Every structure is written in structure tokens, then in C-alpha cells.
Amino acid sequence: MGGVVDTYGRRLSCVVYCVLEIVINVMEHSTDFKVLLAGRVLGGVSTNLLFSAFESWMNSEHKKRGFPSSWQAEVYAASSVANGCTAVAAGVLAQKLEDYMGHIGPFKGAVALTVVALGLVLRWPENYGSGGEGGDDSVLEQLKQGWRAVSRSPSLMKVGAVQSFSEGAMYTFVFMGVPT
């Protein structure tokens, strides 16, 4: 996913993440199994964007603006603490929304907050990976290179399998845990 983010733009990838999250949370209102399943597939894509696009954008902007590299460690340390506090606050808010709006309340709240996040992301400047806009290689070529690297390394193949099974188990739990 990192190659796609670098090629098409990190800010654009963050925008796509926000739009996907809005769509996914709206899809949670459905009782149709196929719609819910499609939401889970889109959730996999959005999770990959979450863990690649935002940090890549921040690292690139930090470097481009000439900030001291020591600040990055401070920013990431502070964001780690803030992330934990935000998770607790989000849990409390989700419970309050569930109390007032029923099981779908937290998803409605997520839509509203993601719209706010999208508004903030739209104000960011765009940046690209080392190949610049369009990148050095096509996305298909990057996927082929990645596949070759993984297929030649039993250790990477094992790590990928463990990660896939872990994510699969987690998404199965999440999917089965959503009330309909």
C-alpha cells in the first residue's frame, strides 16, 4: 500500500481514507449481509491507508519544512500518549451514543467525526514519495517487486501469513460482534 500512497499522493490517500471510513460507517446501518461484508473489505483497505498514509505525509512535511529531526520523536511520543487518551474518550463517547441512539449510535458519531477529520485533511498540502507524482514504477510493477521479495524469503512469507491470519481473526471477531 505504501507504493500506492507514494505514487498517487499522501494527502489524497488520507482523503480516500476519510471517505472510505464515512462510507463504511454508513454501510453499518444496513442489515444486508453483502453490504456489511463489502464494508469489511473496504475496512481492510482503509486500515492499510491509516497505517501508511498519515505518518508518511507527516514525515515528508516535517523534512520539507526543515524542522529538527529530534522533533519527530517528540511528536510521535506525544501522539502515542494522545492516542491512548483519545481511545478512552472515544470508548466513553461511543457508549453514550449507544445509550441515546441504540447500537448504531457509535457509527453515526464516527461519520460526524470523520467528516471533521476530512475537512482538516483537505487543508494539507500534497506530497509524494521519492519518485514524485506518478512515481518511478507503475503500481503493478511495485506489486510484482513486492511479491518477488516475499516469495523469495521464507521468513517474510511466514510473517505475512501470521499477519494475515491475525487480521482475519480480528476482522471475523469485529464482523460477528456488530449487532444487526
Side-chain angles (χ1 to χ4, degrees):
M1 186 59 80
V4 173
V5 168
D6 288 347
T7 300
Y8 292 103
R10 294 167 176 150
R11 179 184 153 262
L12 176 62
S13 298
C14 294
V15 168
V16 170
Y17 166 80
C18 290
V19 170
L20 282 175
E21 283 299 312
I22 292 166
V23 169
I24 291 162
N25 283 297
V26 168
M27 292 171 89
E28 291 294 336
H29 293 70
S30 176
T31 57
D32 183 350
F33 180 77
K34 291 176 184 173
V35 172
L36 294 171
L37 188 60
R40 294 298 176 217
V41 171
L42 293 175
V45 174
S46 71
T47 299
N48 278 293
L49 288 171
L50 175 65
F51 291 118
S52 59
F54 288 89
E55 285 185 17
S56 295
W57 181 89
M58 199 282 287
N59 287 336
S60 180
E61 282 300 305
H62 184 91
K63 194 178 210 179
K64 185 169 107 178
R65 294 175 188 216
F67 295 138
S69 60
S70 62
W71 288 8
Q72 276 184 303
E74 293 173 27
V75 167
Y76 283 121
S79 68
S80 181
V81 171
N83 189 32
C85 295
T86 303
V88 171
V92 171
L93 177 60
Q95 184 60 55
K96 294 293 183 192
L97 291 170
E98 197 274 338
D99 291 344
Y100 292 113
M101 293 186 233
H103 294 307
I104 205 67
F107 298 103
K108 290 179 178 180
V111 168
L113 292 174
T114 307
V115 167
V116 172
L118 177 59
L120 295 172
V121 170
L122 287 171
R123 300 176 67 187
W124 296 355
E126 183 61 271
N127 64 48
Y128 299 91
S130 59
E133 186 173 359
D136 291 334
D137 294 322
S138 70
V139 173
L140 181 60
E141 185 57 35
Q142 291 175 21
L143 290 171
K144 287 178 184 176
Q145 290 172 3
W147 177 252
R148 283 192 293 269
V150 170
S151 63
R152 291 178 183 151
S153 172
S155 296
L156 274 178
M157 190 70 79
K158 289 174 188 172
V159 168
V162 168
Q163 182 68 28
S164 296
F165 289 131
S166 298
E167 290 285 327
M170 187 269 303
Y171 275 108
T172 300
F173 173 76
V174 168
F175 183 74
M176 300 308 288
V178 175
T180 55

